[in-house]
Amino acid sequence: MQRLRQLRLAILRIHKALLESERGIYEEFHGPIRSNTEFFKLVIEDDGWFSWLRPISQFVVQIDDVVLSKKPVSMEQVDELFNRARVLMQPSEFGTELEKGYFRAIQRDPEIALMHAEVSRLMAAPDA
């Protein structure tokens, strides 16, 4: 369960960095986003620029549901989440919109590349 919490935090960090990176590029093309409320609305509702990040947001909620549950958590649940993370956090130049967006972010931002290395390390670590 500790590994799952560590993975959650690492994915949250990379998600935040991805959002900020995409915001910067969005603003280069469309001008400044006037407020955090406007930014939040774009991230949540717009089917364009930021939509590729939604699966990561939804995955963090899934992890939270398990971690915060009052019910006992089985190793199968934890393994399933790690397997989902391995699929979700896989950059690819020619894959899904998420995979392509993630790939581009890693290519342009060394901090995101380092965060991806950390997430990969956590996903590959043997069960504790």
Side-chain angles (χ1 to χ4, degrees):
M1 187 66 110
Q2 181 61 27
R3 248 182 82 224
L4 185 58
R5 286 186 182 99
Q6 290 173 335
L7 180 65
R8 178 193 173 275
L9 287 175
I11 291 174
L12 272 177
R13 281 191 297 270
I14 202 166
H15 185 255
K16 181 179 180 193
L18 289 167
L19 283 168
E20 289 303 316
S21 178
E22 285 300 307
R23 181 179 184 160
I25 295 168
Y26 178 92
E27 289 179 333
E28 286 178 23
F29 284 93
H30 301 284
I33 297 172
R34 294 182 302 257
S35 67
N36 285 337
T37 302
E38 182 183 349
F39 180 50
F40 183 72
K41 188 174 182 175
L42 282 169
V43 170
I44 298 299
E45 296 175 4
D46 187 77
D47 286 333
W49 202 277
F50 299 96
S51 62
W52 68 271
L53 289 163
R54 287 190 196 130
I56 299 173
S57 305
Q58 294 162 348
F59 182 62
V60 171
V61 171
Q62 286 180 313
I63 294 175
D64 286 347
D65 287 345
V66 170
V67 169
L68 299 174
S69 175
K70 297 192 187 300
K71 298 176 184 176
V73 177
S74 70
M75 279 309 297
E76 290 80 24
Q77 286 175 292
V78 173
D79 289 344
E80 184 179 317
L81 287 169
F82 270 86
N83 288 335
R84 174 123 166 81
R86 287 180 192 100
V87 170
L88 189 68
M89 303 304 293
Q90 186 62 48
S92 173
E93 188 174 7
F94 305 107
T96 66
E97 289 306 308
L98 170 60
E99 292 168 341
K100 290 187 288 189
Y102 193 30
F103 177 85
R104 288 188 303 266
I106 289 170
Q107 297 303 306
R108 74 173 171 258
D109 190 327
E111 287 298 315
I112 291 174
L114 289 172
M115 290 178 194
H116 173 70
E118 174 64 13
V119 167
S120 296
R121 184 190 65 75
L122 287 168
M123 290 186 302
D127 289 331

